[in-house]
Amino acid sequence: MNDDREPIRDVAHLGRVELLTPEPERSLWYFHDLLGMEAVHREGASVYLRGYGDYAASTLKLTEAAKPGVACVHWRAVSPQALERRAAAIAATGLGIGWSNGDFGLGPAYRFRDPDGHVMEIYYEESRYEAPAPLRSTLKNLPQKFTGRGAAVRRLDHLALLAADVPTNRAFAEETLGFQLREQVRYDNGAVEIGSWLSPTTVHHQVAYVVDARGGHGRLHHLSMWVDDKSDVLRAADVLRENGIFIEAGPAKHNNSQGFYLYSYEPGGNRVEVYSGSFLVFAPNWQPVVWNEAERGTGVYWGGALPESFIEYATPDIERPAERRAVPVVDPR
Ligand code: FE
C-alpha cells in the first residue's frame, strides 16, 4: 500500500493446496472425474492431483481426515535465496514452525502459520511434471494433454481463507510475504476491514482473507480452479448437476475481481469454485480498490443472489457463538 516501501518479490505464486476430506474416494471422484484433474501420486492417506495446465507435478493434495478443511497452503519462492529470506522474516515474527524435507515433488520447505492459524509452507525446489506417454501433449508448450474430461480445469488459481482478524492477516501477507493488496471491503466509513484480496503475482488474487462470521480460526472458505472461458464455467455447471453435486451459487459475475464464478461443495464438504474472467494486475504501484457497503452491495455484479450459506458455511463447519451474530460479514471470493 505504501509507495515508499521497496516491494518484496520473494514469493512467486501459490503452488499447492492440501485439502482434508472425510470422503476421500468421493472427493477424488469429484476432482478427477468431474473437474477433470489427473491423479499423479498416492502416499499414505493422500492423493496428489494436477490440472492439465499446471507446470508442477501436483497442485492439489487430498488427504483423508475426520473433518474437511485446509491442511496446508504451499507458496513457491522465486529462488533459494528468496526462500531463506522469507523463512528468516517469518521466523522473526514468531509464526515459524520449522523446516521440513518437503512434500512429494517439492524440496525443503519452511512451515509456518499465518496469524489466524492456517498452516502454510514456502519452498523453492519443485520437480517439473513429466507426462506419461498417454498424457503427453502434441503441443510442446503444454505440460499435459488436454483430456476434455468433465469441467477440464486448467490450473489452481486461488483460495479464500476466513480469519477472525482480517487486518492482522492482511498485514502479514503484505509485509512478511510481500503480497500486493488488490481489493478490500471496508464498512463503517472504512473503519472495519472485513475482506482483503492479495496476490504475489499478476493473477488478481491468490489469497483472500475474509472475516469469519462464526469467529473461528484456520478455516477455508473456498478453493478455486481456473478455466479459460466463461463457457467452460457453464459447462462445469452442467457436469456437476448431471452428477448430483450441489451448486451453491452461480454461474454469475462478482463486482470485486470481476470473476465469473460457480461454487459447489465437493463430497468431503469443502467449497470449490470454478472460475474465469477476472483480470490481471501489472502495475507495481497498484492502488488497492476499496469498496464500502453501498458500493459493494451483495458482491454480485450480475446473476443470482448469493445464499446465506455463502456467508455462514466454511470448513471445518463450526457453531456460531450467539454473541457474534452482530459481526458484519461479506461474501468471500
Ligand atoms: Fe474465489
Side-chain angles (χ1 to χ4, degrees):
M1 284 179 96
N2 183 347
D3 278 349
D4 298 332
R5 194 171 61 209
E6 182 67 13
I8 300 165
R9 301 280 193 226
D10 285 348
V11 176
H13 63 86
L14 176 64
R16 178 182 297 172
V17 175
E18 181 181 2
L19 285 188
L20 300 176
T21 171
E23 297 284 345
E25 288 310 312
R26 301 226 331 121
S27 292
L28 177 59
W29 164 75
Y30 172 94
F31 285 104
H32 178 271
D33 290 28
L34 307 190
L35 293 201
M37 299 179 76
E38 299 299 330
V40 294
H41 183 68
R42 281 182 185 262
E43 197 173 309
S46 301
V47 183
Y48 295 77
L49 297 109
R50 51 173 285 104
Y52 75 91
D54 282 317
Y55 74 85
S58 172
T59 49
L60 173 64
K61 178 181 180 182
L62 279 180
T63 299
E64 181 174 5
K67 292 181 176 177
V70 59
C72 189
V73 181
H74 302 257
W75 301 98
R76 189 172 189 196
V78 300
S79 68
Q81 295 83 355
L83 170 58
E84 293 290 341
R85 280 194 298 269
R86 281 315 95 205
I90 295 163
T93 68
L95 290 166
I97 296 174
W99 288 92
S100 71
N101 288 330
D103 203 353
F104 162 71
L106 307 180
Y110 188 73
R111 184 166 275 242
F112 59 99
R113 291 182 190 277
D114 70 8
D116 195 69
H118 301 94
V119 174
M120 298 185 169
E121 278 192 357
I122 182 168
Y123 64 94
Y124 171 67
E125 291 172 33
E126 178 154 47
S127 60
R128 205 169 154 214
Y129 180 65
E130 293 289 342
L135 285 176
R136 215 161 285 155
S137 176
T138 54
L139 258 180
K140 197 174 177 181
N141 55 10
L142 189 61
Q144 177 207 302
K145 177 186 287 184
F146 173 74
T147 64
R149 183 175 63 250
V153 296
R154 187 182 189 105
R155 60 170 175 80
L156 175 65
D157 190 82
H158 67 266
L159 81 170
L161 302 173
L162 297 187
D165 174 354
V166 172
T168 300
N169 287 274
R170 183 261 304 150
F172 174 76
E174 280 189 289
E175 293 161 15
T176 306
L177 301 181
F179 295 180
Q180 193 182 63
L181 177 62
R182 296 285 160 75
E183 302 203 41
Q184 285 192 313
V185 176
R186 288 179 171 271
Y187 282 4
D188 296 342
N189 293 318
V192 182
E193 178 180 344
I194 57 176
S196 282
W197 287 256
L198 304 111
S199 184
T201 183
T202 53
V203 167
H204 175 275
H205 62 282
Q206 292 220 286
V207 67
Y209 280 110
V210 177
V211 70
D212 192 323
R214 296 186 176 176
H217 287 282
R219 299 209 295 152
L220 171 71
H221 187 269
H222 68 267
L223 171 77
S224 185
M225 303 301 299
W226 176 266
V227 289
D228 282 347
D229 197 88
K230 292 186 178 74
S231 64
D232 297 326
V233 180
L234 300 178
R235 181 176 66 169
D238 280 336
V239 169
L240 295 176
R241 284 305 298 139
E242 286 284 19
N243 287 279
I245 295 295
F246 170 62
I247 291 176
E248 183 186 39
K253 181 171 176 172
H254 286 306
N255 45 19
N256 177 339
S257 86
Q258 302 170 29
F260 189 68
Y261 62 85
L262 171 73
Y263 295 98
S264 69
Y265 296 172
E266 58 88 16
N270 296 296
R271 183 185 286 104
V272 178
E273 178 179 30
V274 177
Y275 184 74
S276 192
S278 190
F279 62 98
L280 302 176
V281 175
F282 301 100
N285 60 342
W286 170 262
Q287 295 300 304
V289 174
V290 181
W291 305 74
N292 65 27
E293 298 94 316
E295 294 162 341
R296 171 62 167 192
T298 61
V300 179
Y301 189 48
W302 48 254
L306 292 166
E308 190 65 21
S309 60
F310 198 75
I311 307 296
E312 291 287 329
Y313 180 72
T315 48
D317 197 15
I318 56 172
E319 290 295 315
R320 173 196 269 222
E323 69 272 18
R324 295 197 65 92
R325 284 185 198 283
V327 171
V329 292
V330 67
D331 48 298
R333 63 197 40 92

